[in-house]
Amino acid sequence: MDIKAYLDEHAERINRPAFIENDPVQFPRRYRNLQDIEIVSFLVAAIAWGKRSLILRDAERMLAKMGESPYDYVMNGEYRHLGTANVHRTFFEQNMAYMLRGFRHFYASHDSMDGYMASRREKTPQKLVEALRESAREANHNQYDTRCYSSNLGNTALKRVNLALRWLVRNDGIVDLGVWKSMTPDMLYIPLDVHVGHTARETGLLTRKSNDWKAVDELTGKLRAYNPKDPVLYDFALFGISIEKK
């Protein structure tokens, strides 16, 4: 089998506007302000695991708490009204508030996450998570919350962060928003979840058994060989093929 042709065919078929309706990417697409888009992207990506219908339901409820402008909600400190209710699976309102305090602290020093990344020499997912995690720690009485940010940046696959970055950076004008200027699609890494990993191993693209950063690096390297300018385009194919087989 010609793997590249196989992936290209499925990526073209799945990466279409119809994909948006049943995917969490619909939520950041509702906003025009860059900071709103950034906050919504990282907040929704944080709960983007499990059954897709429940992710969509819970993201809708979560964003309804924040009104028309999540950025204004954050900067006005309105997250103080959040309690302990469940948001999605093991993610609760206190976890949401933790992230939002961190965003407020971050935006007090930086105009945008995109602007922050533009100022960095090393533009990697780990560097961004490190900055967001430290802002959250400083804003939350020196406490870390591993439900929001990983404590092991050298090993974790960073699936949720790579998903948010795909939305923000990929710029083909179809599904993803492409609003960031600090990074280009060739710099992205595959959002590796169980579905993507299953298809990648089934097609021989991934040999590593664990869904960790080494696996992300291995798989993204293979995809870059097929499409150097936009390797994460194949997220649509790898994810979609697995979902359609269920």
Side-chain angles (χ1 to χ4, degrees), residues 179-225:
V179 293
W180 272 21
K181 307 304 178 188
S182 61
M183 297 176 67
T184 49
D186 61 292
M187 302 166 70
L188 295 173
Y189 287 86
I190 194 76
L192 179 60
D193 64 7
V194 292
H195 303 292
V196 170
H198 177 76
T199 308
R201 292 183 181 96
E202 195 174 58
T203 53
L205 285 167
L206 181 60
T207 59
R208 188 168 177 80
K209 294 181 179 179
S210 300
N211 282 348
D212 56 12
W213 186 256
K214 288 183 178 179
V216 171
D217 201 34
E218 177 189 343
L219 178 55
T220 305
K222 296 277 184 65
L223 300 177
R224 283 194 178 118

Side-chain angles (χ1 to χ4, degrees), residues 35-53:
Q35 291 81 3
D36 285 331
I37 293 170
E38 290 178 342
I39 289 169
V40 171
S41 292
F42 282 93
L43 203 56
V44 170
I47 66 166
W49 54 288
K51 193 173 181 180
R52 290 175 88 199
S53 61

Side-chain angles (χ1 to χ4, degrees), residues 2 31 55 89 98 120 145 170 172 194 213 238 244:
D2 184 336
Y31 302 87
I55 295 169
R89 301 188 72 171
Y98 180 93
R120 301 294 96 184
D145 186 341
R170 283 199 70 256
D172 61 4
V194 292
W213 186 256
L238 295 170
E244 289 169 358

Side-chain angles (χ1 to χ4, degrees), residues 62-223:
M62 176 174 65
L63 296 180
K65 302 176 190 292
M66 304 174 72
E68 293 184 1
S69 172
Y71 178 70
D72 287 346
Y73 180 91
V74 166
M75 300 312 289
N76 292 332
E78 293 180 51
Y79 49 76
R80 297 185 185 97
H81 302 298
L82 293 173
T84 58
N86 182 252
V87 175
H88 177 73
R89 301 188 72 171
T90 60
F91 191 90
F92 292 80
E93 284 189 358
Q94 58 264 41
N95 305 115
M96 178 180 171
Y98 180 93
M99 289 187 73
L100 299 184
R101 287 189 202 97
F103 290 153
R104 187 172 188 263
H105 186 77
F106 181 90
Y107 285 118
S109 302
H110 306 284
D111 179 62
S112 66
M113 296 181 198
D114 185 32
Y116 171 80
M117 290 298 282
S119 70
R120 301 294 96 184
R121 179 174 297 179
E122 189 178 349
K123 301 180 190 344
T124 64
Q126 288 85 353
K127 287 296 180 183
L128 178 58
V129 174
E130 190 175 273
L132 294 176
R133 186 182 66 182
E134 290 308 303
S135 287
R137 177 188 61 79
E138 291 171 11
N140 286 277
H141 309 292
N142 233 23
Q143 300 296 311
Y144 288 110
D145 186 341
T146 56
R147 293 199 189 283
C148 301
Y149 300 107
S150 173
S151 60
N152 186 1
L153 295 182
N155 189 54
T156 181
L158 291 178
K159 177 260 179 177
R160 293 172 292 178
V161 172
N162 285 326
L163 179 61
L165 289 175
R166 196 204 84 196
W167 296 341
L168 293 164
V169 176
R170 283 199 70 256
N171 55 6
D172 61 4
I174 302 174
V175 171
D176 298 317
L177 287 80
V179 293
W180 272 21
K181 307 304 178 188
S182 61
M183 297 176 67
T184 49
D186 61 292
M187 302 166 70
L188 295 173
Y189 287 86
I190 194 76
L192 179 60
D193 64 7
V194 292
H195 303 292
V196 170
H198 177 76
T199 308
R201 292 183 181 96
E202 195 174 58
T203 53
L205 285 167
L206 181 60
T207 59
R208 188 168 177 80
K209 294 181 179 179
S210 300
N211 282 348
D212 56 12
W213 186 256
K214 288 183 178 179
V216 171
D217 201 34
E218 177 189 343
L219 178 55
T220 305
K222 296 277 184 65
L223 300 177

